[in-house]
């Protein structure tokens, strides 16, 4: 039960995202390729933001020391 508590929020977030994508494809009849493209762009954008944040924090740490 303790392991479930630790991973509950990330697991529920992934499941919720998958259900949102599935419902978009099924209910609104949006092509899966189009939704996958949007999802890929979002993941790439988050990855770029993470890399930029890492570089910024690394540079700030270097300048402070």
């Amino acid at each position: 039960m303790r392991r479930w508590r630790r991973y509950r929020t990330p697991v529920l977030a992934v499941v919720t995202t998958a259900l949102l994508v599935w419902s978009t494809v099924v209910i609104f009849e949006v092509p899966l390729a189009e939704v996958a493209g949007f999802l890929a762009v979002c993941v790439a954008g988050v990855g770029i933001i993470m890399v930029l944040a890492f570089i910024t924090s690394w540079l700030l740490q270097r300048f402070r020391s």
Side-chain angles (χ1 to χ4, degrees):
M1 192 63 174
R2 287 180 188 245
R3 283 187 178 184
W4 170 246
R5 286 183 191 168
R6 173 182 265 176
Y7 298 113
R8 177 176 44 201
T9 301
V11 168
L12 289 176
V14 170
V15 169
T16 303
T17 303
L19 289 174
L20 180 64
V21 169
W22 175 78
S23 66
T24 302
V25 170
V26 173
I27 295 172
F28 300 110
E29 297 178 359
V30 177
L32 183 59
E34 188 173 340
V35 174
F38 286 136
L39 189 60
V41 168
C42 289
V43 169
V46 169
I48 290 170
I49 290 170
M50 288 172 58
V51 168
L52 289 174
F54 173 76
I55 291 171
T56 303
S57 66
W58 182 76
L59 286 173
L60 286 173
Q61 184 182 11
R62 297 279 292 185
F63 287 138
R64 287 181 183 167
S65 59

